[in-house]
Amino acid sequence: MTANATSRRPRRSWAWPQNLSIPWQVTIGYMLLLLLLPFAAMFSKASTLPIESFWETATAPIALATYQATFLTAFLAAAVNGLAGFIVAWVLERYQFPGKRLLDAAIDLPFALPTAVAGLTLATVYSETGWIGSLLAPLKVRVSFTITGVWVAMLFISLPFVVRTLQPVIREIESELEEAAWSLGASPWQTFTRVLLPPLLPATITGVALGFARSVGEFGSVVLIASNMPFQDLVASVLIFQKLEQYDIEGATVIGTTMLLISLVMLLIINLLQAWGRRYD
């Protein structure tokens, strides 16, 4: 196509936002108000700092240690819940047993419970004199006020994301598929890997991604069960709070912006994994 033909092409006239339907207007307005504007404000604040100052704060030894503690514990918690949540969701959907409704309702407790209460409860139970902590103390295993406690808190708050994501998918899988596989001579392992796992894989990845994202941003339960000591069990959300307490607004903004950028990259990678998993739908 020549340049003259391109110049003669009629231009579309957009009359923003009258040409958009109401759902589109609500979507754009809501996303703009709740997500884009706060993020833009944070980036705007961070952009006022010189590059050298931003880089020095973002890569300070204490900041790097908190990034490592935050993402490593969140990843391990999401990975363990990916397996444990899968089993819990399977049991809740495929078996009938006394107290099933109570157990099913208890899954949502981390959603309803204030995170500070969750942290206080976990710190008490896993302390050296608590119900579980007293059993672990003779084994020289400490949970409360260590990085292990941070991991336990992340396990607690991220479990419902995996279970609730998997339950509807498991419910839709007909048991006749398993019976057909068995009648054709498939072993239990072959039935699981070739019949059940492919449709469950995208939901599992989604649940793990949601649990990971929730764990990275957790504050209320983590700040109570950890000692919050730098280079030991201090995570990024608590470091940001500590900087705000010290009126170091710029430092908190830099750490928050860095966490946001790292989280966006990791969520994009997880979304690519989800797209890969949907090929098996």
Side-chain angles (χ1 to χ4, degrees):
M1 183 178 293
T2 64
N4 291 335
T6 303
S7 63
R8 289 194 298 270
R9 181 186 298 169
R11 294 182 178 179
R12 292 182 177 180
S13 59
W14 293 91
W16 177 272
Q18 287 80 1
N19 286 347
L20 296 177
S21 61
I22 292 179
W24 268 107
Q25 295 179 33
V26 172
T27 300
I28 294 174
Y30 206 67
M31 296 292 287
L32 190 67
L33 185 64
L34 288 185
L35 291 179
L36 299 182
L37 283 181
F39 289 159
M42 187 167 65
F43 280 120
S44 175
K45 178 67 177 178
S47 65
T48 60
L49 300 174
I51 296 295
E52 296 78 9
S53 177
F54 184 97
W55 181 256
E56 183 180 358
T57 304
T59 59
I62 186 174
L64 295 178
T66 57
Y67 302 151
Q68 180 180 358
T70 302
F71 287 108
L72 183 59
T73 50
F75 174 78
L76 292 177
V80 171
N81 272 338
L83 177 61
F86 186 102
I87 296 173
V88 171
W90 185 267
V91 169
L92 287 175
E93 290 300 322
R94 289 304 178 96
Y95 297 96
Q96 299 296 329
F97 54 89
K100 177 181 175 178
R101 290 185 180 277
L102 180 62
L103 179 61
D104 191 50
I107 295 294
D108 291 329
L109 270 179
F111 285 146
L113 200 65
T115 55
V117 177
L120 182 61
T121 304
L122 292 174
T124 303
V125 171
Y126 284 96
S127 68
E128 293 187 357
T129 57
W131 290 353
I132 301 177
S134 60
L135 300 176
L136 298 175
L139 304 175
K140 307 296 183 185
V141 176
R142 290 185 61 220
V143 177
S144 292
F145 313 117
T146 66
I147 192 66
T148 308
V150 175
W151 177 67
V152 170
M154 290 181 176
L155 279 177
F156 178 80
I157 56 103
S158 61
L159 176 63
F161 291 94
V162 180
V163 177
R164 292 308 186 210
T165 305
L166 275 168
Q167 278 184 295
V169 185
I170 295 175
R171 199 176 302 142
E172 291 180 357
I173 298 178
E174 298 176 353
S175 58
E176 287 79 4
L177 288 176
E178 300 171 60
E179 296 170 357
W182 295 336
S183 66
L184 294 174
S187 65
W189 177 250
Q190 289 174 325
T191 303
F192 173 74
T193 55
R194 298 184 181 182
V195 177
L196 299 176
L197 186 58
L200 292 174
L201 188 58
T204 304
I205 296 175
T206 300
V208 169
L210 292 173
F212 173 79
R214 180 68 182 83
S215 297
V216 167
E218 175 59 14
F219 172 78
S221 60
V222 167
V223 73
L224 291 176
I225 199 172
S227 64
N228 304 311
M229 295 293 293
F231 306 103
Q232 293 184 17
D233 58 0
L234 181 64
V235 295
S237 58
V238 180
L239 176 62
I240 293 172
F241 181 73
Q242 290 179 348
K243 287 186 174 295
L244 290 175
E245 281 188 322
Q246 299 164 0
Y247 300 101
D248 184 6
I249 306 299
E250 294 179 347
T253 304
V254 169
I255 301 298
T257 304
T258 307
M259 287 291 297
L260 175 62
L261 294 175
I262 296 174
S263 299
L264 280 175
V265 171
M266 299 189 77
L267 289 176
L268 284 174
I269 294 173
I270 292 173
N271 281 338
L272 291 176
L273 289 175
Q274 288 175 315
W276 171 78
R278 290 192 191 99
R279 295 188 306 173
Y280 296 95
D281 281 347

